[in-house]
Amino acid sequence: MSGIQSYKDLLIWQKGIEIAVLVYQLIPDFPKDEIYALSNQIKRSAVSIPSNIAEGYGRQTTQSYIQFVKIARGSLCELETQLVLADRLSFIKTASLFSEIMNKISEESKMINSFINKLESSKQ
């Protein structure tokens, strides 16, 4: 990970931030009675992705880092599931924004998997 001075230099963290920002832009269109239900859970999942990447980086051990990046991957899957549910419930009013988020989730998933593989191979 040469050239990496901080977790902020990691593309998976940057993409996680982008996803979280887009999710926050999507949520205001949800029904108001969902503010403490699905919309809140979606925001938590989105924020969890870059947060766990940052926390793992801060732990300064490879094994711990791998575990936190795997938690971020789990949060990404959770977010994707929740957004599919919101879409099927017709909570999502901006199809283009939804599509953009889903594309970024797909990209982030591939990047996280690759990053985990790289970290795991560096342990050996």
Side-chain angles (χ1 to χ4, degrees), residues 16-44:
I17 291 291
E18 288 175 25
I19 291 169
V21 168
L22 291 172
V23 162
Y24 268 78
Q25 292 171 358
L26 185 72
I27 293 297
D29 290 338
F30 279 39
K32 296 305 172 212
D33 61 339
E34 281 297 318
I35 194 164
Y36 298 111
L38 187 57
S39 62
N40 186 45
Q41 190 62 36
I42 288 171
K43 289 190 286 188
R44 288 174 170 272

Side-chain angles (χ1 to χ4, degrees), residues 41-107:
Q41 190 62 36
I42 288 171
K43 289 190 286 188
R44 288 174 170 272
S45 296
V47 169
S48 179
I49 299 161
S51 296
N52 277 292
I53 293 165
E55 185 170 355
Y57 184 91
R59 296 293 173 118
Q60 297 181 337
T61 68
T62 302
Q63 190 58 42
S64 185
Y65 196 17
I66 291 168
Q67 183 60 30
F68 276 90
V69 175
K70 286 181 176 180
I71 292 168
R73 181 175 60 188
S75 295
L76 185 68
C77 292
E78 184 180 9
L79 174 63
E80 182 177 36
T81 298
Q82 293 160 350
L83 289 172
V84 167
L85 179 59
D87 185 49
R88 290 192 183 176
L89 291 169
S90 300
F91 292 172
I92 296 175
K93 306 300 181 207
T94 312
S96 61
L97 183 54
F98 173 70
S99 178
E100 182 179 359
I101 294 169
M102 296 305 277
N103 287 336
K104 288 190 182 293
I105 287 172
S106 179
E107 292 170 8

